[in-house]
């Protein structure tokens, strides 16, 4: 068959991006790589790279007859490999695909977070993922964890106290934003304790949350402590 071994590198933003904060607006390199790889073959298992088959010799009748004379048990072959079905270029049987036709295969792939568990650095739904799986492979989707979406009600004594304390500490009236960083216990606090919840973030843009170089400005950190203390004081009064 010969061999042409390539490595594809896909790069996007200049650092790890938190999926809750950036997902949906920045192209995910892992998704892009999946799109590229999926485009290397068509729906019939034929390599879609232009010119790929230009110098491929078609099988002769004699070669096909020779293959038919070989005692080959495809069921035993599948059982040995632990696969339920064979797959490949349409119009050819298993031995023809193995011995006479060229192929394009992914031999390894690394992207994003690869440790145990989960890390929300730039996620499918089980049913849809399984529907996309081609014949010849088994796909398992393992659920790690999840969180209920939550939105604060920006009214009431808690928000008024927090807003006043932040303005006094930082010298500017705070603006309300939405943020994708999920904290699973937050809606539980609100529903079980029947108490209002407020989230006040003191991380600055570009702080690389969950990244190996995540950082926090100490000046903002100390001001944040003062602001929260001030909030509790205002609530008490």
């Amino acid at each position: 068959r010969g061999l042409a071994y390539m490595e594809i590198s896909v790069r996007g933003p200049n650092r790890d991006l938190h999926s809750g904060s950036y997902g949906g607006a920045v192209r995910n390199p892992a998704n892009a790589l999946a799109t590229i790889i999926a485009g290397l073959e068509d729906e019939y298992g034929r390599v879609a790279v232009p010119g790929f088959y230009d110098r491929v010799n078609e099988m002769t009748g004699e070669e096909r007859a020779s293959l038919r004379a070989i005692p080959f048990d495809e069921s035993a072959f599948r059982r040995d490999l632990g696969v339920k079905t064979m797959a490949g270029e349409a119009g050819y049987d298993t031995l023809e695909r193995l011995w006479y036709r060229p192929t394009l295969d992914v031999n390894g792939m690394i992207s994003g977070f690869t440790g145990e568990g989960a890390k929300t650095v730039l996620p499918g739904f089980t049913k849809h993922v399984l529907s996309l799986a081609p014949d010849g492979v088994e796909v398992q989707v393992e659920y790690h964890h999840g969180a209920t979406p939550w939105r604060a009600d920006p009214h009431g004594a808690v928000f008024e106290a927090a807003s006043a304390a932040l303005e006094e500490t930082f010298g500017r009236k705070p603006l309300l934003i939405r943020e994708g960083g999920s904290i699973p216990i937050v809606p539980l606090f609100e529903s079980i304790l029947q108490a209002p919840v407020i989230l006040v973030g003191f991380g600055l843009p570009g702080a690389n949350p969950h990244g190996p170089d995540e950082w926090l400005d100490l000046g903002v950190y100390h001001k944040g402590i003062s602001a929260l203390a001030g909030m509790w004081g205002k609530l008490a009064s």
Side-chain angles (χ1 to χ4, degrees):
R1 277 178 167 173
L3 178 68
Y5 201 107
M6 318 293 188
E7 179 175 329
I8 302 173
S9 298
V10 180
R11 295 181 175 85
N14 58 12
R15 61 184 184 277
D16 282 349
L17 298 182
H18 189 289
S19 59
S21 301
Y22 294 93
V26 179
R27 179 74 69 185
N28 184 330
N31 290 3
L33 178 59
T35 300
I36 292 169
I37 292 175
L40 294 176
E41 284 187 349
D42 65 17
E43 59 183 314
Y44 303 106
R46 186 174 174 84
V47 177
V49 177
F52 187 84
Y53 295 99
D54 284 357
R55 295 168 61 187
V56 175
N57 295 325
E58 289 295 332
M59 296 179 64
T60 64
E62 182 181 1
E63 288 169 333
R64 286 185 181 274
S66 177
L67 279 185
R68 300 294 178 268
I70 296 175
F72 175 64
D73 186 339
E74 186 168 297
S75 297
F77 187 68
R78 290 200 311 269
R79 288 195 300 271
D80 179 59
L81 297 177
V83 298
K84 294 181 178 180
T85 183
M86 306 309 299
E89 187 181 0
Y92 299 89
D93 64 25
T94 298
L95 292 184
E96 291 170 349
R97 293 166 181 164
L98 286 174
W99 296 342
Y100 284 87
R101 301 299 294 169
T103 184
L104 191 156
D105 287 286
V106 176
N107 292 298
M109 184 161 40
I110 298 175
S111 177
F113 178 66
T114 56
E116 290 188 17
K119 172 178 171 182
T120 51
V121 174
L122 294 183
F125 302 102
T126 301
K127 185 176 181 180
H128 187 57
V129 168
L130 296 179
S131 75
L132 296 173
D135 292 338
V137 297
E138 293 185 12
V139 177
Q140 179 179 352
V141 179
E142 182 177 353
Y143 182 80
H144 286 289
H145 65 258
T148 302
W150 173 83
R151 175 184 178 274
D153 179 12
H155 303 94
V158 175
F159 272 85
E160 291 173 3
S163 180
L166 288 167
E167 185 172 2
E168 289 177 3
T169 304
F170 288 91
R172 292 193 177 186
K173 185 177 179 62
L175 300 175
L176 301 181
I177 68 168
R178 291 203 179 187
E179 172 57 53
S182 299
I183 305 176
I185 202 172
V186 167
L188 296 179
F189 280 147
E190 192 170 69
S191 62
I192 295 175
L193 301 178
Q194 293 296 299
V197 177
I198 180 173
L199 292 181
V200 183
F202 297 105
L204 297 179
N208 304 330
H210 298 331
D213 53 352
E214 180 176 359
W215 54 269
L216 179 66
D217 184 277
L218 288 178
V220 175
Y221 174 69
H222 291 127
K223 282 188 173 182
I225 294 174
S226 297
L228 294 179
M231 179 192 74
W232 288 113
K234 293 179 183 299
L235 282 174
S237 62

